[in-house]
Amino acid sequence: MEFVHRQRRGAELFLLVLSLAVGIGAYACVGLGAQGHVPADIYTYGGWLTALIVAAHLTIRWKAAYADPILLPVVAALNGLGLAMIHRIDIARKAANSDAREFAPGQLIWMTLGVMLFIAVLVVLRDHRRLQAFTYTAGLSAVVLLLLPLVPGLGTNIRGARIWIHLGPLSFQPGEIAKVLLVIAFAGYLVLYRDALALAGRRFLFIDLPRGRDLGPILAMWGISLAILVFQNDLGSSLLFFGMFLVMLYVATERPGWLFVGGGLFAAGATLAYPFLGHVQQRVEYWLDPFAHPDDATQIINGMFGMAWGGLTGRGLGLGSPQKTPFSYSDYILPSFGEELGLTGVVAIILLYGLLVERSLRTALICRDNFGKLIAAGLGVVLALQVFVVIGGVTKLIPLTGLTTPFLSQGGSSLVANWVIIALLLRISDQARRPPPEFGESDDDMDSTQVVTMR
């Protein structure tokens, strides 16, 4: 007997109430801890946050009734916590300098735009398989977006990396949109050429390596990732894009040989390019011994002291000093949580990310078509790799990169792109969990024209 998924919209609504309580409660605790009173705008802030999440929930009920009920509550909790921490750092920065810029109101506006795009994707995209027709368009658009920061007068070099473009008063990171387009392009390509890529080549040390003639796609992606590393000085994005392609290739072909070939290529390329990458060299030096550079590696040093000061349970929201760490509201927002919520709070946040990735991979497992499987797996891998690179960087497991923490860090392009990712995952999970149509036959006259009814 085939297992039939239920809609579970009531469970999603219950979890959303808990998520909103976490987000709005954290905002109130920040005010109590940092200012001694509940923020005066708690009703307008809480009302706006609730309206956004309820609108997203109603859209799912309307357009994707069988979608995964866990994804939206997890995202709502993470986004609410991120807004509360950015507001907390705004309070400290305003106390030190009344002219300091506030980031929380802008982040709420970006969240509003992200939820609007989330709703638009669910309403417009009725079937994710339609995206397969845009395989090469998505790939070409992604390459153009990745090249935009290199255009003179348009791209901007910030903190050594050239990954931003400026359009009037707005700044934008096109790589965040490019990663979604690349997942669609890779999925469409791998569905078409999976059989050729899965053919075995030579066997070496118990590993089936691919044939030399099939190395074209991986060499092309290797070249793109190295170009990002060399010309944009962005180790994080280079690692993210190449890792995403490798894992999707492995999922499509089920051949671990691709992982060994790809991992070796990336390591060789990064080693050869390293002498020419001053910015990356600097980050590696700060990673190996930050205390040898106390004036330049203040971000790593202050972040480590902050997390150590937080201990197991933290200082309490609004009671620490995360603002002393540079960019504590964006790149280093996780150590800010470590200082004020302690190791317990950081582990809870990591578990939320783990749940997000697990539900993505679960969607890939139950999806009935290969294109949907690859997109769901690819988007889950994107989230997993991004969180790993960020957490590994701030905990000194790997060199620090400039990637944002999904849904937590201040940054409009990242937040909007991640809301679109969740909308795509919900659309695929709706198709995967929806019961297959039942076909019936008319029993009146077998010789007459058969009427097929579809429910």
Side-chain angles (χ1 to χ4, degrees):
M1 182 176 176
E2 186 179 359
F3 177 75
V4 178
H5 292 277
R6 290 188 291 169
Q7 295 186 0
R8 297 281 189 182
R9 299 278 66 88
E12 181 183 72
L13 183 60
F14 173 73
L15 293 174
L16 282 176
V17 172
L18 297 180
S19 301
L20 286 170
V22 169
I24 299 172
Y27 190 79
C29 289
V30 162
L32 284 170
Q35 298 174 313
H37 58 80
V38 176
D41 62 346
I42 186 72
Y43 292 109
T44 54
Y45 167 80
W48 187 248
L49 196 62
T50 303
L52 289 176
I53 298 303
V54 169
H57 170 70
L58 292 178
T59 305
I60 294 174
R61 280 183 178 266
W62 176 36
K63 288 295 182 182
Y66 284 90
D68 191 307
I70 306 295
L71 288 170
L72 184 61
V74 171
V75 169
L78 289 171
N79 211 152
L81 284 171
L83 282 166
M85 181 52 71
I86 295 169
H87 173 63
R88 186 265 170 275
I89 296 169
D90 279 349
I91 292 174
R93 294 173 71 248
K94 291 290 283 185
N97 178 11
S98 58
D99 296 328
R101 178 186 171 190
E102 289 185 89
F103 292 106
Q107 185 75 351
L108 189 57
I109 293 173
W110 282 114
M111 181 189 173
T112 304
L113 181 59
V115 173
M116 289 170 64
L117 283 176
F118 170 91
I119 292 172
V121 169
L122 286 180
V123 171
V124 174
L125 186 64
R126 304 288 299 275
D127 189 336
H128 64 272
R129 289 169 292 190
R130 291 179 182 273
L131 294 174
Q132 193 170 358
F134 302 98
T135 296
Y136 295 104
T137 306
L140 181 62
S141 303
V143 172
V144 171
L145 284 170
L146 290 174
L147 291 176
L148 280 180
L150 300 178
V151 177
L154 189 63
T156 304
N157 195 324
I158 299 178
R159 302 196 296 276
R162 195 178 178 86
I163 56 177
W164 294 86
I165 62 172
H166 277 271
L167 296 172
L170 296 177
S171 60
F172 190 72
Q173 194 173 344
E176 291 290 341
I177 304 299
K179 70 185 181 186
V180 183
L181 295 175
L182 281 176
V183 168
I184 295 171
F186 291 161
Y189 175 83
L190 292 172
V191 166
L192 290 176
Y193 298 100
R194 173 189 173 278
D195 292 340
L197 296 170
L199 290 175
R202 293 181 181 276
R203 190 173 182 82
F204 180 72
L205 294 178
F206 308 103
I207 301 170
D208 292 323
L209 298 175
R211 299 184 306 182
R213 73 185 72 169
D214 299 325
L215 289 175
I218 199 168
L219 289 176
M221 195 57 216
W222 179 61
I224 293 173
S225 63
L226 280 185
I228 294 172
L229 181 63
V230 172
F231 296 112
Q232 299 185 354
N233 272 330
D234 188 8
L235 177 62
S237 296
S238 175
L239 184 62
L240 176 67
F241 293 142
F242 193 68
M244 174 182 70
F245 176 71
L246 267 189
V247 175
M248 288 182 69
L249 193 53
Y250 169 66
V251 171
T253 62
E254 299 179 3
R255 295 192 56 200
W258 285 110
L259 296 179
F260 287 94
V261 171
L265 281 173
F266 187 82
T271 303
L272 290 174
Y274 182 75
F276 307 100
L277 303 173
H279 177 65
V280 176
Q281 289 177 22
Q282 199 178 54
R283 297 228 169 185
V284 172
E285 289 174 9
Y286 295 167
W287 167 58
L288 292 174
D289 190 2
F291 293 100
H293 310 274
D295 296 329
D296 299 319
T298 52
Q299 197 177 33
I300 298 177
I301 295 171
N302 289 3
M304 290 170 61
F305 274 116
M307 287 189 285
W309 194 38
L312 186 62
T313 55
R315 312 302 301 176
L317 280 172
L319 299 175
S321 302
Q323 73 280 1
K324 292 183 178 178
T325 303
F327 300 102
S328 54
Y329 48 84
S330 58
D331 296 0
Y332 257 65
I333 198 166
L334 206 65
S336 302
F337 279 106
E339 181 176 337
E340 300 213 328
L341 295 181
L343 179 63
T344 308
V346 172
V347 169
I349 289 173
I350 293 173
L351 286 177
L352 286 178
Y353 282 120
L355 198 55
L356 209 56
V357 175
E358 187 270 339
R359 302 306 292 191
S360 306
L361 298 181
R362 180 186 289 263
T363 298
L365 280 174
I366 63 175
C367 189
R368 301 185 186 96
D369 64 284
N370 290 330
F371 182 67
K373 279 181 184 294
L374 286 172
I375 289 187
L379 295 177
V381 168
V382 164
L383 292 171
L385 278 177
Q386 192 159 344
V387 172
F388 168 76
V389 168
V390 171
I391 295 177
V394 300
T395 56
K396 276 185 91 278
L397 180 65
I398 60 174
L400 187 64
T401 65
L403 291 181
T404 56
T405 315
F407 300 106
L408 288 181
S409 295
Q410 184 269 334
S413 43
S414 170
L415 188 58
V416 169
N418 285 319
W419 272 102
V420 171
I421 286 176
I422 298 302
L424 288 174
L425 286 172
L426 285 170
R427 170 53 66 212
I428 298 170
S429 71
D430 176 58
Q431 295 276 350
R433 293 164 55 89
R434 189 176 289 274
E438 295 180 1
F439 297 93
E441 295 181 345
S442 171
D443 296 331
D444 296 336
D445 185 2
M446 296 300 293
D447 296 329
S448 61
T449 302
Q450 298 296 305
V451 177
V452 179
T453 59
M454 186 169 66
R455 192 174 64 181

